[in-house]
Amino acid sequence: MRCRQRLALSAVLAVCITYTASCAQQTDVGAAVTTGAVTQPPQTESVTEEDRLPAPKLPEMDFGGETYTVMTMGWYNYDPLAIKDIAPAETNGESLNDAAYARNLAIREAYNCEIAAEDFIDNDQCFDVFKKAVMAGDDVYDIALMRGNYYKSMITGGMLMDLSAVPHIDLNAPYYDQASLSALKVLNVPFAIVSNLTMLRLHNANCAYVNLQLLEQYDLGNIYEVVNAGEWTLDCLLSYGKHHAADINADNKNDNQDNYAATYIHDSVDGLIGASGVLLASLDDNGEFILSYDSEEAIGRMKRVWDGLYDHAQTFNCHTRSDNANADEVGMFMERQAMFSLGTINYGPQFRPMEDDFAILPMPKLDAADAYITPVAMHVLPLTVIPVSAQRIEEIGILTELLSYYGYVDLYPEIYETVLKTKIARDEESTAMIDMIFENTVYDTGLLFQFGDMMNRIRTLYTNRSDNFASMFEKQKNRVQKDVDAVLEEAVRVMELS
């Protein structure tokens, strides 16, 4: 059972908010998953013009040739997570680029405006610029695509507009991810949404890759049959991978010169925990937080994931054990040093030059009886937000609608069917796995809001090979509550202004 605790917010607001916190004896992890935000991909096969989703009904306007700027946040100079499909300068033969170019051309001709993107390759710099512009009241950015790990700071800093107050934005439309809204809507105030402005949002789905030649070499059978039979678990991965793990240079170091069952990074820890059925937090129907990371079963499942990653001879964390993590997280798998690679969809395009055939699989679950779950990497997720300093609100609402609509009907099929299923997947079975991955994606509110810096603290336990989860959670309890209060206070403030 969950225990409920009332937290008094500031006396100035004179309001009391109820939120749900998990008791130590809570065991209903399955319930947490089923109440989590689950999304499904839209239909992406070719459709006739009659079957195409109708465009939103928007007023006819002339924007006077003005330019509207979308700020895009990169990710620590890591190019595979750069947002490149907002305002391409020209066509170049790449299907996604050309679809984005055509999208903007249609909007430009209909509303007499220009759409520009100001791209920041460094996310910290982007956040600083965004914050300064908002605090100064400068109307320089109309829309922004900001990463999830800044969401809490943007809310508590009073930087974001309530999207439900922006005219012409229909948050219930299918070109906005409804599951993301369920994970983002604090006290039913939508400060952000996952939209189809950018297709990079699809790259954040956790998944696993397997070298099919190595499976054949060790006579390990058909991995697709294992997945379809519901037997694709972390134990299965390790039992297969142990055939390949070896200290190749016999130096007793288990470094990046050796072979492993699997390579992974810090982010993969979050993915495996989510795939095990654990949500750190979610939002209920009233937009109140349900904190579930410290239940008995959640801790038990985290420890089982921890057990699976403990043996350094079997698994290799590129972030902590390599001097060149960005190269090794894809390079070791491509060089046959790992039978499996745990990562996200963004690895797929990087694996295209790989000589050996590989398969894309869902993240492994803990028990065969569990359902497959695809956790979204929340901290790198591009969130569509509108800064409170934006002035041309009606025009921004129209542009947000049209960019999302055309992204849904034109860009999404290009990346899903052409890029993922045709250019990256090597066989028909792998394309079916892609459908399975995206049919079961789940947004974890706790990974997004980072109450008490929880994600990083959990990662640190794995890095330090410590399983003191309960002790760490207890120490962070006050900080978690403080962070929850701060987010709720801002949501209440915005509600009172509306």
Side-chain angles (χ1 to χ4, degrees):
M1 296 289 295
R2 297 188 179 102
C3 57
R4 292 195 175 261
Q5 179 179 8
R6 293 191 178 273
L7 300 177
L9 299 183
S10 69
V12 174
L13 291 174
V15 66
C16 186
I17 299 296
T18 301
Y19 85 101
T20 308
S22 61
C23 299
Q25 69 269 24
Q26 177 185 343
T27 59
D28 196 4
V29 170
V33 171
T34 56
T35 58
V38 183
T39 186
Q40 293 188 3
Q43 180 180 357
T44 55
E45 293 83 0
S46 297
V47 296
T48 64
E49 194 63 31
E50 291 78 12
D51 294 330
R52 181 180 171 93
L53 180 73
K57 296 184 183 301
L58 297 168
E60 295 183 5
M61 293 179 64
D62 187 329
F63 290 179
E66 293 190 9
T67 297
Y68 293 80
T69 302
V70 180
M71 169 185 265
T72 67
M73 177 181 279
W75 189 253
Y76 294 108
N77 301 305
Y78 182 59
D79 187 68
L81 288 180
I83 299 172
K84 303 175 181 178
D85 54 357
I86 297 301
E90 58 186 4
T91 58
N92 61 9
E94 285 291 330
S95 59
L96 183 60
N97 176 90
D98 293 357
Y101 183 86
R103 169 180 69 175
N104 292 6
L105 180 61
I107 296 173
R108 182 174 66 196
E109 292 178 346
Y111 282 91
N112 185 26
C113 67
E114 297 292 335
I115 298 170
E118 187 165 344
D119 304 314
F120 290 81
I121 59 175
D122 186 281
N123 57 329
D124 287 330
Q125 180 196 13
C126 181
F127 178 72
D128 289 341
V129 172
F130 181 84
K131 180 178 179 180
K132 289 177 181 176
V134 170
M135 294 300 101
D138 291 339
D139 182 22
V140 291
Y141 303 110
D142 301 287
I143 307 169
L145 290 167
M146 307 293 280
R147 303 299 174 141
N149 65 327
Y150 292 94
Y151 190 46
K152 180 179 67 179
S153 296
M154 290 188 292
I155 291 176
T156 57
M159 304 176 198
L160 302 182
M161 193 171 293
D162 176 357
L163 295 182
S164 66
V166 180
H168 309 303
I169 293 182
D170 179 8
L171 293 175
N172 296 316
Y175 36 87
Y176 299 113
D177 193 319
Q178 299 304 303
S180 75
L181 195 61
S182 299
L184 296 165
K185 213 171 175 184
V186 182
L187 297 182
N188 289 323
V189 177
F191 292 103
I193 188 74
V194 175
S195 75
N196 282 280
L197 265 74
T198 177
M199 295 301 104
L200 186 72
R201 71 183 189 85
L202 300 178
H203 287 216
N204 299 304
N206 280 278
C207 61
Y209 299 86
V210 58
N211 185 310
L212 295 176
Q213 265 64 52
L214 290 179
L215 290 181
E216 182 178 354
Q217 175 181 321
Y218 296 112
D219 195 24
L220 294 175
N222 188 318
I223 192 67
Y224 299 121
E225 292 179 357
V226 173
V227 175
N228 289 326
E231 297 174 355
W232 172 232
T233 64
L234 182 57
D235 285 342
C236 175
L237 179 153
L238 294 170
S239 67
Y240 280 26
K242 70 180 180 182
H243 295 277
H244 188 60
D247 182 7
I248 297 299
N249 54 12
D251 62 357
N252 297 315
K253 289 184 178 180
N254 297 128
D255 55 21
N256 62 356
Q257 303 302 307
D258 298 315
N259 288 351
Y260 296 91
T263 53
Y264 68 101
I265 57 176
H266 283 325
D267 312 53
S268 311
V269 172
D270 314 336
L272 285 171
I273 289 173
S276 78
V278 174
L279 289 177
L280 300 190
S282 58
L283 287 164
D284 66 15
D285 291 341
N286 297 317
E288 298 175 6
F289 292 106
I290 303 172
L291 306 179
S292 48
Y293 59 85
D294 59 349
S295 72
E296 182 178 340
E297 187 174 348
I299 292 174
R301 285 178 173 259
M302 289 182 199
K303 285 185 176 181
R304 288 178 61 191
V305 172
W306 180 89
D307 289 339
L309 299 179
Y310 184 85
D311 188 350
H312 280 187
Q314 295 293 318
T315 61
F316 188 86
N317 186 333
C318 299
H319 274 164
T320 60
R321 297 170 59 194
S322 170
D323 294 329
N324 194 358
N326 283 352
D328 283 345
E329 66 179 291
V330 294
M332 290 178 68
F333 180 73
M334 293 180 69
E335 295 299 325
R336 306 181 112 232
Q337 290 180 256
M339 182 178 291
F340 298 94
S341 173
L342 300 176
T344 51
I345 291 292
N346 84 80
Y347 282 9
Q350 300 174 76
F351 289 154
R352 284 185 66 186
M354 185 170 167
E355 185 172 336
D356 285 356
D357 285 333
F358 64 88
I360 308 171
L361 308 175
M363 285 293 274
K365 49 188 177 176
L366 272 187
D367 298 313
D370 296 338
Y372 289 117
I373 297 170
T374 301
V376 174
M378 300 297 284
H379 58 298
V380 297
L381 185 67
L383 303 177
T384 300
V385 301
I386 297 176
V388 294
S389 54
Q391 298 296 318
R392 300 174 291 185
I393 304 303
E394 187 169 12
E395 293 91 336
I396 290 171
I398 290 173
L399 291 178
T400 302
E401 279 285 285
L402 289 176
L403 287 167
S404 298
Y405 166 76
Y406 284 117
Y408 179 85
V409 298
D410 292 331
L411 274 66
Y412 197 116
E414 287 301 328
I415 184 139
Y416 197 81
E417 296 292 338
T418 304
V419 177
L420 295 182
K421 287 189 169 185
T422 303
K423 293 185 178 181
I424 297 175
R426 301 279 179 102
D427 51 44
E428 290 185 3
E429 292 91 342
S430 219
T431 63
M433 293 294 107
I434 291 174
D435 285 336
M436 183 182 293
I437 288 168
F438 283 103
E439 286 169 0
N440 297 290
T441 53
V442 173
Y443 292 102
D444 186 338
T445 300
L447 285 177
L448 180 69
F449 281 94
Q450 277 293 291
F451 298 130
D453 195 30
M454 196 57 66
M455 180 182 72
N456 290 323
R457 292 180 180 276
I458 291 173
R459 290 178 176 183
T460 298
L461 290 179
Y462 281 78
T463 299
N464 294 339
R465 305 172 89 183
S466 168
D467 64 351
N468 294 322
F469 293 96
S471 175
M472 185 271 285
F473 293 154
E474 181 63 27
K475 289 179 181 178
Q476 291 302 109
K477 195 172 183 179
N478 290 338
R479 183 177 174 186
V480 168
Q481 180 171 319
K482 182 179 178 180
D483 286 348
V484 169
D485 278 346
V487 173
L488 292 176
E489 284 184 21
E490 175 59 15
V492 169
R493 186 189 71 82
V494 171
M495 290 170 64
E496 290 185 336
L497 292 175
S498 63

